[in-house]
Amino acid sequence: MRIVLLVCCLLAAKVQAQSEADEAPVSLRFQSIELRAALQILAEYGGVNLIVGDSVGGELTLELDEMHWREAFDVILSSQGLIAREQSGTLIVKPASQSPMQDLETRVFALRFAEAAALKNLLRIEGEAKCLVDERTNRLIVTDTRQALDEHAQRIAELDVPVSQVLIEARVVIVSATGSKQLGITWMGSAEKSVNGGALRAGSRPAESEQAASLPLIDFAATAAAASRFGLGFADSNASLDVEISALETSGEAEVIARPRVVAADRQTALVRSGVQIPYQESTSSGATSTSFQSASLSLQVTPRIAAHEKVMLALKVNQDTVGQTYSGIPSINTNAIETEVLVNAGETLVLGGVYQNDVNKSVSRVPVLGSVPLVGRLFRRTISSDERHELLVFLTPKILP
């Protein structure tokens, strides 16, 4: 009974010592040691069986410090162009060129959702294994061991899944309000008096008496043709005086609404655009002219990223371009744009405040000296004031599609 207990204790101690040796790092320093001897030392240290083929030979110098014995074993194999295949708990070492191809199998994986070229980079292909891509049928052709092929099949099944999609509904609202006031006055008159058999004339053109009454002495009328006008005059045989007051007040409001919608896959950029191409002439280096085009369009570019708890991160770029005034025969483009990145709950509407512009102008034209006199100066000047307001608002509602 004592002998049996002693044997059991010795075996347990040996197993524990071997386990500690497997985990302990090893340091090797050899000068011109035979390759077979170096492999045998590491196999003995790791407690594994080893078979080295006759074609394996040569010498090497190595200095390895604090490495696991299997890592050191694999480094030596890799440096000498060797491979080790495990069979029934025994490591069989031979040149990589002599590895039997009958241990490898080929399997074709048809992909439904993922791109074969992108998925190939996620598979772990080692040694003689290889992976080919058939872009026409979107398939992977993998050559590897049966165990490795089963692992590849499991990984492909986990990755070849449909990507969630997001519907983004946007409303782009441009609100404009304009107002202007104009107040002006026009003086017209002429006078004539006989002096020593001659005539003394006064007016806008005293030398041309026939036209003097039709030309203004002071012309500060409202510039708009639709202005209201009120005139008052006095005339006798020798003189005439007319005054005309013109006034105009205008106001207007405009609201432009656009509703672009786009569906995008998770982490994929989508773009929807609607507008017009404006042609313009452009000079070339040779002096000739060519026709080029500039876009004026409404566009929505979005990249959604689905986060946890039904939230969506949106990278947005919204443009609202319209054709503006024409300068020297070339139309201008009024541009409104928002570019941002926001986090929003799926199904909720997010309001993005855009550009707010308020343009206030006031101009006064007057007769020197007379136009500056208090109260009376109003009869010798023209006043024009304008107020324009523009605001851009964007409403966004993302929805995760099932």
Side-chain angles (χ1 to χ4, degrees), residues 28 76 169 250:
L28 299 176
I76 294 175
E169 296 180 335
T250 62

Side-chain angles (χ1 to χ4, degrees), residues 110-229:
L111 304 181
R112 296 179 299 169
F113 306 104
E115 291 290 337
L119 194 56
K120 173 186 176 182
N121 298 327
L122 302 179
L123 299 181
R124 186 176 180 181
I125 305 299
E126 298 178 341
E128 293 184 348
K130 59 182 179 180
C131 180
L132 301 178
V133 175
D134 184 7
E135 295 182 356
R136 186 180 65 85
T137 59
N138 196 38
R139 297 187 179 188
L140 288 175
I141 305 172
V142 184
T143 301
D144 211 332
T145 63
R146 179 173 300 180
Q147 180 181 357
L149 287 174
D150 293 338
E151 295 176 358
H152 295 329
Q154 181 179 357
R155 178 167 296 183
I156 289 174
E158 294 173 352
L159 298 177
D160 187 26
V161 294
V163 179
S164 300
Q165 299 183 103
V166 180
L167 169 64
I168 298 97
E169 296 180 335
R171 281 175 293 174
V172 182
V173 181
I174 300 178
V175 181
S176 301
T178 60
S180 66
K181 293 181 180 180
Q182 299 184 24
L183 179 63
I185 193 166
T186 303
W187 291 90
M188 303 178 65
S190 63
E192 181 176 344
K193 182 176 180 59
S194 299
V195 178
N196 298 327
L200 177 64
R201 301 187 183 95
S204 59
R205 288 186 181 180
E208 302 177 10
S209 58
E210 295 181 358
Q211 302 180 10
S214 62
L215 297 176
L217 296 173
I218 301 174
D219 188 7
F220 284 133
T223 57
S228 299
R229 304 179 187 276

Side-chain angles (χ1 to χ4, degrees), residues 166-169 312 314 344-349 396-400:
V166 180
L167 169 64
I168 298 97
E169 296 180 335
V312 181
L314 299 175
V344 61
N345 293 326
E348 293 186 353
T349 299
L396 291 171
T397 305
K399 297 178 181 179
I400 301 176

